[in-house]
Amino acid sequence: MATHRCCALWSYCGRRWSRVMRCCRLSGLCSSWPSGPLGARHLSQEKPATETHFGFETVSEEEKRGKVYHVFESVAKKYDVMNDMMSLGIHRIWKDLLLCKMRPFPGTQLLDVAGGTGDIAFRFLNYVQAQHKGKQKRQLRAQQNLSWEEIAKKYQNEEDPLGGSRVVVCDINKEMLKIGKQKARAQGYKAGLAWVLGDAEELPFDDDKFDVYTIAFGIRNVTHIDQALQEAHRVLKPGGRFLCLEFSQVNNPLISRLYDLYSFQVIPVLGEVIAGDWKSYQYLVESIRQFPSQEEFREMIEDAGFEKVTYESLTSGIVAIHSGFKL
Ligand SMILES: COc1cc(O)cc(C/C=C(\C)CC/C=C(\C)CC/C=C(\C)CC/C=C(\C)CC/C=C(\C)CC/C=C(\C)CC/C=C(\C)CC/C=C(\C)CC/C=C(\C)CCC=C(C)C)c1O
Ligand SMILES: C[S@@+](CC[C@H](N)C(=O)[O-])C[C@H]1O[C@@H](n2cnc3c(N)ncnc32)[C@H](O)[C@@H]1O
């Protein structure tokens, strides 16, 4: 964890410096300023590449971006089947629980960042549609004197079965979005769903736009987690909710030993056999170990400006759902 903190600090300093430099350059202040925190080099020289981690490897931030892109480009076609195989379907329960926590209502505007092949978005659409139908039924039951024609008419006139809810899936990877769109077409999802290519660190949306922001198994892959959290805060409406489903820290030592064995001995093998890609699944298990603990991540969410930040560990802490509000 010390490595994680060190990388985060170094990456933070680097970005702060490049922001100062960008402002100065824009205001014409800095033509004679040195170009790095140590102040010894001339502007024409390159800024040192800020280091971060890609699994257990230390790489430059640019390299990490490219490598993460390559991982998901490579696994996209086998992504869904791999998740079912690796977790024996348990990832579906975790995603359902995320929706239960969200409890969206007809009208909710959701942004699902790093939404990949659409698992969260499809669950959201099912949920709000069922909610809306239930509400409609209750309203009709309350109106005791309607004839069957009037009831049929009310059902047929219903233009928006989602009651105004919308979900935007935003992901940086074209291949993941392509598979998501194919799945949506095959499963008949169309209304209330949009696909946007975009970076969690620089979201292509206005301020105060969404009621809920979700990110499931995505934030671990982002280079500057603090920047992604700030963006989440920016695009949420006041009162809006941040929800993150991510791998976390297992607290039971016995389960932790078994989980480690399973992760390092089985998952890359499954990756090779099913997706023909050992390396991407080695990255998956390594990146899980690099991600901050439940408490550390809670603090990071608070640092981004969220309030009432809580978390719930699931399956002995293999994953956790963090929640926070923009108040
Ligand atoms: C590239 O990046 C990615 C790519 C992706 O495709 C996906 C993601 C994002 C990830 C997800 C959406 C979810 C992916 C799911 C996981 C990574 C797995 C999570 C793990 C579990 C739910 C199970 C946790 C396992 C344990 C607590 C330990 C139990 C382990 C055992 C009983 C096996 C111990 C292993 C050995 C002794 C090694 C030798 C064993 C063999 C060769 C036999 C092989 C055994 C199996 C295949 C059994 C599999 C067993 C389970 C899945 C256990 C399930 C049971 C329970 C938790 C009760 C992404 O970022
Ligand atoms: C493990 S998948 C999760 C997909 C989906 N949320 C799910 O739960 O199945 C991680 C996703 O994060 C996306 N991703 C990685 N870095 C990103 C970034 N900076 N901005 C947006 N998406 C990113 C990847 O392209 C990939 O689709």
Side-chain angles (χ1 to χ4, degrees), residues 21 43 94 100 150 189 221 233 265 279 289 301:
M21 289 307 292
L43 254 189
W94 296 334
C100 287
E150 283 170 315
Y189 294 104
N221 304 293
H233 193 270
Q265 306 302 322
K279 277 196 166 166
R289 269 71 190 174
I301 298 168

Side-chain angles (χ1 to χ4, degrees), residues 49-265:
T50 312
E51 286 186 337
T52 182
H53 48 79
F54 172 78
F56 292 164
E57 239 183 286
T58 300
V59 297
S60 73
E61 290 183 342
E62 268 326 292
E63 243 180 297
K64 172 164 178 162
R65 239 180 264 278
K67 278 173 174 278
V68 167
Y69 192 90
H70 177 73
V71 161
F72 288 101
E73 190 178 42
S74 161
V75 305
K77 286 199 179 80
K78 296 285 178 182
Y79 178 77
D80 293 312
V81 64
M82 269 305 291
N83 289 349
D84 282 337
M85 294 298 289
M86 287 188 291
S87 71
L88 296 183
I90 295 171
H91 77 104
R92 292 172 183 252
I93 301 173
W94 296 334
K95 287 169 180 169
D96 287 344
L97 287 170
L98 181 72
L99 260 292
C100 287
K101 229 182 214 320
M102 187 192 307
R103 273 194 286 130
F105 47 86
T108 299
Q109 306 296 305
L110 169 67
L111 173 64
D112 182 37
V113 175
T117 61
D119 272 6
I120 303 300
F122 302 153
R123 277 173 173 75
F124 170 81
L125 293 174
N126 293 343
Y127 194 106
V128 288
Q129 191 159 1
Q131 280 267 319
H132 189 58
K133 263 195 188 149
K135 191 174 156 197
Q136 204 184 21
K137 265 189 190 161
R138 280 193 300 277
Q139 278 172 353
L140 284 172
R141 277 200 200 112
Q143 296 173 303
Q144 304 248 330
N145 301 326
L146 291 180
S147 69
W148 70 266
E149 281 128 314
E150 283 170 315
I151 292 174
K153 217 179 248 167
K154 275 197 186 274
Y155 265 98
Q156 281 152 15
N157 283 349
E158 191 54 62
E159 276 165 13
D160 185 358
L162 302 169
S165 295
R166 299 281 174 270
V167 52
V168 177
V169 179
C170 174
D171 198 287
I172 205 164
N173 196 293
K174 278 188 192 160
E175 283 307 306
M176 291 291 281
L177 288 179
K178 195 169 122 190
I179 302 292
K181 285 181 202 170
Q182 284 170 4
K183 255 169 77 182
R185 230 174 288 130
Q187 294 174 23
Y189 294 104
K190 195 170 172 202
L193 174 63
W195 303 87
V196 173
L197 190 67
D199 187 344
E201 292 185 34
E202 225 169 314
L203 292 172
F205 306 107
D206 292 341
D207 299 358
D208 306 336
K209 202 167 157 44
F210 297 95
D211 300 300
V212 184
Y213 170 111
T214 48
I215 184 159
F217 302 110
I219 205 148
R220 189 173 26 89
N221 304 293
V222 167
T223 310
H224 305 115
I225 294 176
D226 53 351
Q227 180 68 31
L229 292 172
Q230 280 167 27
E231 279 291 89
H233 193 270
R234 180 182 67 75
V235 300
L236 276 170
K237 293 176 188 169
R241 188 172 195 186
F242 167 86
L243 281 167
C244 174
L245 170 61
E246 189 51 88
F247 288 101
S248 207
Q249 204 161 291
V250 177
N251 296 317
N252 178 312
L254 176 67
I255 295 182
S256 176
R257 283 287 297 277
L258 285 171
Y259 178 50
D260 277 351
L261 254 169
Y262 177 64
S263 300
F264 289 99
Q265 306 302 322

